Amino acid sequence: MARLSNESPGYAFYAISIACLLIAQSIAYLASNFEFLSQVAWLGLFSFLYQWIIFIPSAYLRTAAYFDVAGSSGYFVLALYSLFRPGYFYTRQIIVTLCVLVWAARLGWLLYQRVQRAGGDSRFDEIKQHNARFFNMWSIQALWVFLVSLPVYCLNSNNADPTLGPQDMVGLGLWLVGFSIEVVADLQKTVHNTDPATQGSFIQTGLWNHSRHPNYFGEIVLWCGLLITSASTFDWPQYISICSPLFVTYLLLEVSGIPLLEAKADSKWGHDEEYRAYKERTPKLVPWFVTQPESDLGVPMISKTDDLESDVTQESRSCG
């Protein structure tokens, strides 16, 4: 199948956008046991309306400056809406929603800093000139936000408050571990990229000595944790929420996360013997204990041009 581009007909992109909306609504109705206009179904629709509304000024101004903000704020706004609309405010619901808010706020700040450093988002230089293709990116982002947050929406829609137990503690513990790994990995990479001594080189220190993509690993773990905690109140149809971590894992491993970044790194450092050795000895995703050899440079490396890896969500959204 030919890859879609600016030369592709607009209806192809609109068809993909409609498919994204139908997928979201189908999953919402399954999770709600086919209840008409359930809270989860409304959230699925709201996710798309939110992105499409912000698309309008973006298309008019031919700018992608609002794209990252719309993504991270979409998580934030929909999580709050899912909590306040039914108004149960059970302890588990408040804790899990706060976890999403903290994660989304950090993501938004990280993306804002990245765009400020880069002076824009070059990924959209071509796409934003084609309205249908640009619109499609916002639709994919809407689906992304909805599917990833689905366990939280199901939890907050349930009028159930079983006592917090071991399952909840395991889930929240996993969220804390995953979030910590993601924060530390991004911080280590930012420090590396802003240090004149290591700019333009690949990183193989800290968590990056144990995994080539530790922030992606943290991202997957934290959403698994929220699923486990949320599932304490699930009815059987709501277990379709397992699509949340599965969707994240699939995109990061197979579509537009690791494959794109590994291709960039290979093209930049594939001739570098030290990079090839690092890639051979270091796990792709799950951290493991490996021995780091001494580097002739003293402090090993990562390119400032690869800042996109710390933007987990944004790289994955580029699948359109």
Side-chain angles (χ1 to χ4, degrees):
M1 179 184 295
R3 183 179 178 84
L4 295 176
S5 67
N6 280 13
E7 285 68 46
S8 302
Y11 67 78
F13 295 105
Y14 290 126
I16 294 174
S17 294
I18 293 173
C20 288
L21 177 59
L22 292 176
I23 290 171
Q25 286 300 302
S26 298
I27 291 176
Y29 278 99
L30 285 172
S32 306
N33 201 20
F34 297 99
E35 177 186 345
F36 183 66
L37 295 181
S38 67
Q39 169 168 312
V40 178
W42 274 114
L43 286 162
L45 181 60
F46 185 27
S47 182
F48 283 82
L49 292 176
Y50 185 82
Q51 298 300 323
W52 289 345
I53 288 172
I54 303 176
F55 159 77
I56 294 173
S58 299
Y60 179 77
L61 298 173
R62 294 279 190 241
T63 178
Y66 310 128
F67 190 83
D68 289 345
V69 175
S72 56
S73 64
Y75 284 104
F76 198 97
V77 172
L78 266 70
L80 277 180
Y81 181 76
S82 73
L83 178 66
F84 278 87
R85 186 169 185 260
Y88 300 132
F89 301 111
Y90 296 131
T91 301
R92 181 182 290 98
Q93 295 173 339
I94 294 173
I95 293 174
V96 170
T97 301
L98 283 175
C99 287
V100 176
L101 299 184
V102 169
W103 173 82
R106 191 198 78 93
L107 173 65
W109 178 246
L110 184 70
L111 301 184
Y112 173 77
Q113 288 183 312
R114 191 204 71 183
V115 171
Q116 291 300 306
R117 288 197 304 268
D121 196 333
S122 60
R123 293 169 302 161
F124 292 93
D125 288 347
E126 178 184 347
I127 294 174
K128 65 188 179 184
Q129 304 305 322
H130 190 293
N131 282 339
R133 188 181 183 192
F134 195 29
F135 178 78
N136 185 56
M137 296 302 299
W138 296 79
S139 299
I140 292 174
Q141 179 161 258
L143 179 63
W144 166 265
V145 171
F146 174 73
L147 288 184
V148 172
S149 302
L150 185 60
V152 184
Y153 302 156
C154 290
L155 166 67
N156 288 344
S157 69
N158 289 341
N159 187 8
D161 187 32
T163 303
L164 292 173
Q167 178 177 333
D168 301 287
M169 298 302 104
V170 169
L172 293 175
L174 284 175
W175 180 87
L176 183 60
V177 169
F179 183 72
S180 299
I181 290 173
E182 188 175 31
V183 170
V184 171
D186 286 336
L187 178 61
Q188 289 175 341
K189 191 170 186 179
T190 299
V191 170
H192 186 94
N193 289 343
T194 54
D195 186 346
T198 53
Q199 284 181 341
S201 59
F202 67 92
I203 187 171
Q204 52 179 323
T205 54
L207 292 176
W208 302 86
N209 180 46
H210 304 285
S211 168
R212 303 204 299 274
H213 304 277
N215 50 349
Y216 284 3
F217 175 75
E219 179 79 4
I220 294 168
V221 169
L222 72 86
W223 284 110
C224 286
L226 292 186
L227 171 66
I228 291 171
T229 298
S230 299
S232 298
T233 70
F234 281 1
D235 294 324
W236 277 109
Q238 294 175 325
Y239 280 99
I240 196 173
S241 296
I242 196 174
C243 68
S244 167
L246 292 179
F247 186 65
V248 173
T249 302
Y250 174 71
L251 285 182
L252 296 183
L253 283 177
E254 303 295 338
V255 182
S256 59
I258 290 176
L260 290 180
L261 291 167
E262 296 263 304
K264 289 180 183 178
D266 289 346
S267 65
K268 187 174 181 65
W269 300 299
H271 62 282
D272 187 327
E273 185 175 334
E274 185 176 8
Y275 167 75
R276 292 198 301 269
Y278 165 74
K279 188 174 180 180
E280 182 177 347
R281 72 173 180 269
T282 308
K284 178 187 293 185
L285 182 67
V286 181
W288 194 247
F289 296 99
V290 296
T291 302
Q292 179 183 4
E294 291 293 330
S295 170
D296 293 337
L297 297 179
V299 182
M301 322 177 288
I302 197 172
S303 171
K304 58 185 178 182
T305 60
D306 278 342
D307 258 347
L308 290 177
E309 177 160 5
S310 61
D311 175 9
V312 173
T313 303
Q314 231 22 69
E315 280 287 358
S316 302
R317 293 183 192 126
S318 297
C319 61

